Amino acid sequence: MNMSNENLYTNESCGSSAVLRRRDGLTILAIESSCDETSASVCVDGKILSNFIANQTVHEKYGGVVPELASRAHMQNIVPVVDTALKNAGYEVNGIDAIAFTQAPGLIGSLLVGGEFAKSLALALNKPLIAVHHMQAHVLANLIDDPRPNFPFLCLTVSGGHTQIVLCESPTTMKVIGETIDDAAGEAFDKSAKLLGLPYPGGPLVDKYAQQGNPDRFKFPEPKIAGLNFSFSGLKTSILYFLQNAGKSNLFKEEFMATEEEKLSFIENNLADICASIQQRIVTILLNKVKKASLETGITDICLAGGVSANSGLRKDFVEMGKKNHWNTFIPAFQYCTDNAAMIAITGYHKYLAGQFADLTVSSTARAEW
Ligand code: KG4
Ligand code: ZN
């Protein structure tokens, strides 16, 4: 294993040319491919030097991620993405000390592309391999930049596939203390957007229209779920009925059934207020549980993570709730909220320090225990 904290350059012979490579510290190359983003990142001593992401636009016309197309796109992207991340960081591939990759959870075909690539690289370069849990990495995105939370902290992780409250005791010790019993928060945004006729992924569009709307105009019900768990499927149903009635009632009643034309013109004339009202309800469902978790655990360092933490309403209300309740609140930079390899790199860095390595027999899995 190759570790150096010195700032030095080495000249190495590579064929006919001399290769200049830096040896600045513990250098991790990280790969993320759990869903529809192919990403690679280089970090040195926990500092992110590059974070390159290739988005897959091929899914847009299908209204959701098509697993087979996602793995094919990962196969096309993986080599140029890793090359670009190394180049942007100023590193040659043999200048890295370890390779971290997303092992789970996610789409199995997508995970396999990044996983097998990482294993082959580790074997070829004879470097240690670090298997990373995608959801733990979302949480640790909060450790990338200053200000960083103190341990223990709570993290509300909200993505397209997960909604969790995580109690994080150390970079390698965390547990889920609350989670959704049905849809994830990102799904609630995307499914609501679909009902409004907006293209996939609709979450960012709901956010965009909500910024011009009145969040108090329409009242959607808040589910009564015990403990720290969440539920979003009832909200989706109430939005469906509300639109079928062209806003006349939240309750489904045959006599209120609007025609398709009435429904479409109701949406068109009220889009901003509908989006603002839906967003406000999703945000209050999330934040009321975070407040409960803080009261129950006594923990006041609280973070956001995951794609939905890019939502402007959630960010604003989270910070306001933090001020009111004397919390220290943390939100990763925008580029570290949605899927990215920098969060895999920072997690890989902490796992390296803890000596948590994987061997080459490790396999990617669609689901994973914590
Ligand atoms: O974490 P992420 O990038 O991928 C998963 O691991 O799922 O999260 C993607 C989710 C999608 O549901 C997307 O609609 C949602 O995050 N999202 C947003 C916003 N930006 C992304 N939802 C609401 N408002 C946003 N600004
Ligand atoms: Zn994610």
Side-chain angles (χ1 to χ4, degrees):
M1 210 170 297
N2 227 340
M3 259 181 86
S4 162
N5 289 316
E6 289 160 350
N7 227 344
L8 56 93
Y9 287 85
T10 57
N11 262 317
E12 290 197 347
S13 172
C14 173
S16 56
S17 61
V19 177
L20 193 63
R21 67 182 170 94
R22 291 204 306 246
R23 301 282 308 123
D24 297 342
L26 173 54
T27 307
I28 312 271
L29 168 68
I31 294 166
E32 153 66 29
S33 71
S34 64
C35 189
D36 60 339
E37 265 101 23
T38 321
S39 180
S41 168
V42 174
C43 90
V44 176
D45 284 342
K47 187 173 165 6
I48 302 299
L49 295 195
S50 67
N51 177 43
F52 187 73
I53 304 172
N55 299 109
Q56 302 180 2
T57 48
V58 64
H59 308 287
E60 275 164 18
K61 59 177 175 287
Y62 299 101
V65 177
V66 183
E68 177 59 29
L69 296 181
S71 17
R72 277 193 233 167
H74 282 305
M75 292 206 297
Q76 284 167 346
N77 290 342
I78 190 85
V79 171
V81 164
V82 169
D83 266 353
T84 309
L86 285 165
K87 204 163 129 220
N88 290 353
Y91 270 78
E92 298 289 338
V93 74
N94 50 6
I96 59 173
D97 297 305
I99 297 139
F101 73 102
T102 305
Q103 185 237 337
L107 299 172
I108 189 63
S110 294
L111 288 163
L112 278 167
V113 178
E116 296 309 302
F117 186 88
K119 279 154 69 176
S120 313
L121 209 53
L123 179 66
L125 298 171
N126 193 24
K127 302 285 181 189
L129 184 68
I130 303 162
V132 171
H133 189 297
H134 180 86
M135 297 312 296
Q136 293 181 358
H138 269 303
V139 173
L140 296 190
N142 283 284
L143 301 187
I144 290 177
D145 289 326
D146 278 331
R148 294 173 172 85
N150 290 309
F151 294 100
F153 64 80
L154 294 177
C155 183
L156 172 68
T157 314
V158 271
S159 73
H162 295 83
T163 298
Q164 300 175 326
I165 299 178
V166 177
L167 196 169
C168 190
E169 282 163 359
S170 81
T172 52
T173 319
M174 19 184 142
K175 63 174 180 245
V176 179
I177 59 170
E179 63 190 324
T180 183
I181 57 167
D182 41 55
D183 290 349
E187 264 177 300
F189 271 107
D190 295 341
K191 287 180 178 174
S192 308
K194 195 171 177 186
L195 291 173
L196 293 168
L198 300 173
Y200 179 87
L205 290 170
V206 173
D207 188 358
K208 187 180 134 196
Y209 292 117
Q211 288 173 34
Q212 273 100 53
N214 172 8
D216 298 318
R217 170 104 184 269
F218 304 112
K219 291 269 173 253
F220 295 105
E222 181 164 7
K224 304 262 172 290
I225 303 293
L228 297 176
N229 286 341
F230 304 89
S231 167
F232 290 100
S233 63
L235 175 65
K236 185 191 65 191
T237 312
S238 72
I239 294 167
L240 175 75
Y241 292 168
F242 168 79
L243 295 177
Q244 280 178 349
N245 285 293
K248 290 201 181 74
S249 163
N250 281 354
L251 299 169
F252 181 68
K253 293 209 179 108
E254 283 296 344
E255 65 263 33
F256 287 163
M257 194 82 157
T259 64
E260 191 61 15
E261 246 178 27
E262 282 172 329
K263 186 182 127 185
L264 292 178
S265 91
F266 170 71
I267 293 174
E268 198 182 327
N269 294 329
N270 299 282
L271 187 60
D273 288 349
I274 300 173
C275 287
S277 303
I278 293 172
Q279 179 167 299
Q280 164 146 300
R281 174 50 74 218
I282 296 174
V283 169
T284 53
I285 291 173
L286 292 169
L287 292 184
N288 285 345
K289 292 291 179 158
V290 172
K291 191 168 168 188
K292 190 171 162 65
S294 172
L295 285 171
E296 284 181 10
T297 59
I299 294 172
T300 53
D301 273 27
I302 307 187
C303 305
L304 281 189
V308 182
S309 57
N311 182 267
S312 60
L314 177 60
R315 292 169 90 95
K316 186 172 138 287
D317 289 1
F318 174 62
V319 170
E320 267 170 24
M321 187 178 259
K323 277 189 195 140
K324 247 188 235 154
N325 293 281
H326 309 289
W327 299 342
N328 301 313
T329 52
F330 305 85
I331 310 176
F334 190 80
Q335 69 271 28
Y336 304 138
C337 287
T338 47
D339 286 350
N340 68 88
M343 68 185 194
I344 308 301
I346 194 81
T347 309
Y349 169 68
H350 286 287
K351 290 190 92 166
Y352 188 109
L353 296 182
Q356 295 183 358
F357 299 104
D359 64 41
L360 292 172
T361 60
V362 66
S363 22
S364 303
T365 51
R367 294 181 175 276
E369 291 305 314
W370 280 58

